[in-house]
Amino acid sequence: MIDGIYILANDVVYDQLVALLNSIEANAGRKIPVCVIPYNEQLDKVKAEIASRDNVTLFEDSDSIAYWDNFATQVWQNYSRAQKTWREWGFPELYRLPMHRKLCGLDGSFDKFIYFDADTLLMRPVDYIYEKLDKYDWVTNDFQYKSELKYIFDGSPELIQQIFDQEKLHSNIFCAGWFATKKHIFSQATLTNLLDKLQTGEADVMAFGGPDQSLFNYMVLRSGISYYNFAFHDYEQATGNHWSSQFDVVDNILYDQGRRLTYIHYMSVSSSAFVRLCGGEDVDIPYRDVFLYYRYLKSPEKRPQSFIRPTQITLFQKSTSSFIQQRVNNIKLKYRNFKDRINGY
């Protein structure tokens, strides 16, 4: 049995990837193999980083990548409410499609694995996660269940009630930025059945602000595989993991009221903020020194020694560029909506 870790990344999140890899090496408690799933073909920096580490590989199963790209495409292209909303928002018809490649881990070489979004940092050993997978099929550790259901499922209450077990629905939803599961947990027959249900109307329960998250939740709940959330089932010992919480920092480890975090998730903090920070710009990122510690753990000499606050001229140029781009996007959106009306969509 091989335990492993998967990360979805490309060069856009290079600084975050390096920090995460270093945090895994420093805090996982043992040497755990890591595999990076390519978000797209923008991988020059990622490949160079992988080449410098003996326990990190690149996921290169093109058949698996094509399968999950196609699976997600069939789900979302046939979901009319999502398509209509994405057009109105000015988004592509396959919004954030590569995020679904997280599911490539189901086809990989690790028998049990933990998935990390690139914008996370590991804070403690994870053997207890793998041990929990001996009993459960899907394991999470977050407080998504305390949020409104509409962020995961926003279909009609009648359809949601028809599809899901109401006793499990609110307690079993999770954030797709961190989870643990096992290889081939969904049989091909199960996947075919799920896709058929989605294409014949059940997709209408899904929210589409974070399409991968909604789809993964649907798959876990609808398939009926066993599920465990540390933050729900072991509430007294669970810690927060979102950057907005107040944590204590001791030797570059984060603690929540004396309890060591498993990971911190920088969800919704833009990748460009980390790029600018590592370029020496004075960017206000939560737990900034902790991030910088792990980012430059293997190359402390490259860590910025001082940070420069952008001048008003620079800020003006950025805001002007953003404004112009937004105007261009608005024009494109209006033209696209006009074409849709002409074509009867």
Side-chain angles (χ1 to χ4, degrees):
M1 296 288 287
I2 303 175
D3 299 338
I5 290 172
Y6 288 105
I7 304 167
L8 182 69
N10 66 0
D11 286 350
V12 173
V13 295
Y14 171 74
D15 290 303
Q16 293 154 282
L17 174 64
V18 173
L20 173 55
L21 291 173
N22 287 340
S23 73
I24 291 170
E25 187 170 322
N27 299 325
R30 60 185 172 92
K31 196 169 187 176
I32 298 176
V34 178
C35 183
V36 178
I37 300 170
Y39 183 87
N40 57 20
E41 297 303 313
Q42 192 176 347
L43 296 167
D44 291 343
K45 293 181 180 179
V46 170
K47 288 180 177 179
E49 186 63 31
I50 289 173
S52 71
R53 297 173 183 262
D54 60 7
N55 70 318
V56 183
T57 58
L58 183 67
F59 189 86
E60 296 182 305
D61 185 343
S62 58
D63 289 340
S64 174
I65 292 172
Y67 176 86
W68 291 112
D69 281 354
N70 182 58
F71 185 91
T73 296
Q74 291 185 70
V75 171
W76 294 107
Q77 272 192 340
N78 290 285
Y79 181 5
S80 59
R81 188 162 65 94
Q83 291 296 306
K84 179 177 183 296
T85 303
W86 286 342
R87 284 196 298 270
E88 292 172 350
W89 290 350
F91 292 168
E93 65 176 6
L94 294 174
Y95 175 55
R96 301 182 73 187
L97 178 69
M99 294 297 290
H100 299 81
R101 292 183 177 186
K102 301 172 184 182
L103 292 173
C104 287
L106 299 174
D107 305 321
S109 58
F110 304 144
D111 298 290
K112 294 187 288 187
F113 66 86
I114 305 172
Y115 171 80
F116 288 77
D117 268 356
D119 59 347
T120 52
L121 295 173
L122 181 63
M123 292 284 112
R124 63 170 288 191
V126 290
D127 279 345
Y128 78 101
I129 305 292
Y130 294 114
E131 290 169 5
K132 190 62 68 173
L133 286 172
D134 290 332
K135 186 176 180 180
Y136 295 92
D137 296 323
W138 197 280
V139 173
T140 64
N141 186 10
D142 66 68
F143 290 91
Q144 185 70 46
Y145 67 89
K146 286 182 170 289
S147 300
E148 293 185 54
L149 184 64
K150 67 179 182 180
Y151 296 115
I152 305 295
F153 302 121
D154 71 348
S156 69
E158 294 77 17
L159 185 59
I160 291 175
Q161 186 171 4
Q162 175 185 328
I163 293 174
F164 299 117
D165 181 340
Q166 297 303 294
E167 291 185 2
K168 295 180 179 179
L169 179 58
H170 285 273
S171 62
N172 282 24
I173 59 175
F174 58 91
C175 171
W178 190 99
F179 59 85
T181 187
K182 293 176 279 194
K183 183 177 182 178
H184 296 155
I185 201 63
F186 300 114
S187 68
Q188 189 57 54
T190 297
L191 292 171
T192 300
N193 184 48
L194 289 172
L195 186 58
D196 179 66
K197 291 179 183 298
L198 286 163
Q199 291 182 318
T200 54
E202 291 194 4
D204 201 50
V205 299
M206 294 195 298
F208 26 80
D212 58 300
Q213 179 162 280
S214 190
L215 179 57
F216 296 178
N217 274 266
Y218 172 89
M219 292 171 68
V220 171
L221 276 163
R222 196 67 169 108
S223 66
I225 62 175
S226 57
Y227 173 85
Y228 185 91
N229 182 354
F230 285 96
F232 179 82
H233 296 98
D234 193 12
Y235 182 81
E236 293 299 321
Q237 295 301 314
T239 70
N241 51 53
H242 192 274
W243 58 264
S244 62
S245 300
Q246 296 297 313
F247 301 127
D248 297 315
V249 181
V250 181
D251 295 331
N252 295 294
I253 299 294
L254 297 175
Y255 292 83
D256 185 353
Q257 299 182 18
R259 298 186 296 272
R260 188 170 177 174
L261 270 64
T262 298
Y263 66 96
I264 182 172
H265 192 182
Y266 284 101
M267 181 173 54
S268 76
V269 179
S270 70
S271 57
S272 63
F274 291 95
V275 172
R276 300 200 317 271
L277 175 66
C278 294
E281 185 175 321
D282 189 9
V283 182
D284 186 17
I285 291 175
Y287 307 104
R288 185 172 82 169
D289 287 342
V290 173
F291 172 80
L292 288 169
Y293 171 79
Y294 290 107
R295 168 61 181 87
Y296 294 102
L297 187 62
K298 289 178 171 288
S299 55
E301 73 284 355
K302 295 181 180 179
R303 176 173 174 168
Q305 299 303 305
S306 60
F307 297 90
I308 301 173
R309 176 68 64 176
T311 65
Q312 290 300 315
I313 293 177
T314 300
L315 292 173
F316 175 76
Q317 289 173 336
K318 288 182 178 179
S319 64
T320 301
S321 176
S322 177
F323 173 77
I324 293 173
Q325 185 60 53
Q326 186 61 52
R327 290 296 299 272
V328 171
N329 290 340
N330 288 342
I331 293 171
K332 289 181 178 178
L333 175 58
K334 289 179 180 178
Y335 176 67
R336 186 174 178 180
N337 288 339
F338 173 74
K339 285 205 306 180
D340 287 344
R341 287 195 297 272
I342 293 297
N343 292 325
Y345 292 127

